[in-house]
Amino acid sequence: MKIGTPVDAAIIASASEDDEEGHWVKYKRRPAFHCFKAHFGAYADTALVEEIAVTAPTPRTARRS
């Protein structure tokens, strides 16, 4: 991605709790769920998605309550 590219992230549920790469997340008093974090990079002038990366949520994300 280029410098100045807007980036956003979203929590997405995993297909299976058996997936070892995902983590459990509890957010704002909602029930905990097994998930991943998707990072989206978009072109600033057109807002078209340039890149998507899926990672395990960080411990900081997992502890939000």
Side-chain angles (χ1 to χ4, degrees), residues 12-51:
I12 53 175
S14 62
S16 171
E17 294 176 4
D18 297 330
D19 194 333
E20 295 177 3
E21 294 180 15
H23 290 281
W24 288 94
V25 171
K26 183 172 178 359
Y27 185 72
K28 291 190 177 181
R29 300 182 185 184
R30 296 181 183 149
F33 60 99
H34 198 257
C35 66
F36 290 92
K37 192 171 190 179
H39 304 269
F40 304 93
Y43 290 108
D45 54 345
T46 62
L48 293 174
V49 174
E50 176 182 359
E51 185 175 336

Side-chain angles (χ1 to χ4, degrees), residues 1 7-10 37-41 51-56:
M1 284 194 277
V7 175
D8 195 8
K37 192 171 190 179
H39 304 269
F40 304 93
E51 185 175 336
I52 299 174
V54 178
T55 63

